[in-house]
Amino acid sequence: GGGGQAASGGAGAGRGKRFNALGALRLDRAVRGLSTYFSDKAHRGSVRDVFVRLAQMAMLLNLERAEDVAELWGPAAGAEGMTWRLTATEVRRVLALRVEFDAAKVKALQL
């Protein structure tokens, strides 16, 4: 079986699967592995660019708490903040996929 890493979407799940912490970690590893594999095969950086959005999604799913996104997004991220390829709406949608995250808190995030 899936070992509880991804749960079937229930009420408010939106699309597809929802993730628990272990599932999010496995997704992150898979994205990194695929990115490295295809970058090595292509011998150019453009392939890595294709994976940026997916890598950002995996990173969001790996947060301890949904509220921790404030450390990565906007003014709180500071000068070392990354360039986001996801919109605020997409960030909320991704965070809503984590079964441990409270949907009301995700919706209320100031992004």
Side-chain angles (χ1 to χ4, degrees):
Q5 294 134 16
S8 293
R15 306 174 180 83
K17 301 280 185 183
R18 295 190 68 198
F19 295 84
N20 64 15
L22 180 58
L25 182 60
R26 287 189 171 183
L27 175 65
D28 184 59
R29 286 183 186 158
V31 169
R32 290 174 192 264
L34 287 169
S35 177
T36 299
Y37 174 80
F38 285 112
S39 292
D40 289 347
K41 296 294 180 197
H43 300 292
R44 59 185 171 171
S46 63
V47 174
R48 194 172 301 269
D49 294 339
V50 174
F51 287 94
V52 169
R53 286 175 50 86
L54 192 53
Q56 288 181 352
M57 290 177 192
M59 180 182 58
L60 290 169
L61 289 170
N62 274 291
L63 293 174
E64 289 287 323
R65 302 173 312 133
E67 298 84 8
D68 291 345
V69 72
E71 297 173 13
L72 305 170
W73 184 277
E80 62 276 355
M82 72 176 73
T83 300
W84 281 89
R85 308 285 185 193
L86 303 174
T87 66
T89 299
E90 291 170 327
V91 168
R92 284 189 193 91
R93 284 183 187 152
V94 170
L95 291 172
L97 295 175
R98 266 292 289 279
V99 296
E100 298 93 345
F101 294 168
D102 180 80
K105 287 183 180 179
V106 169
K107 189 176 181 179
L109 288 172
Q110 298 295 312
L111 301 175

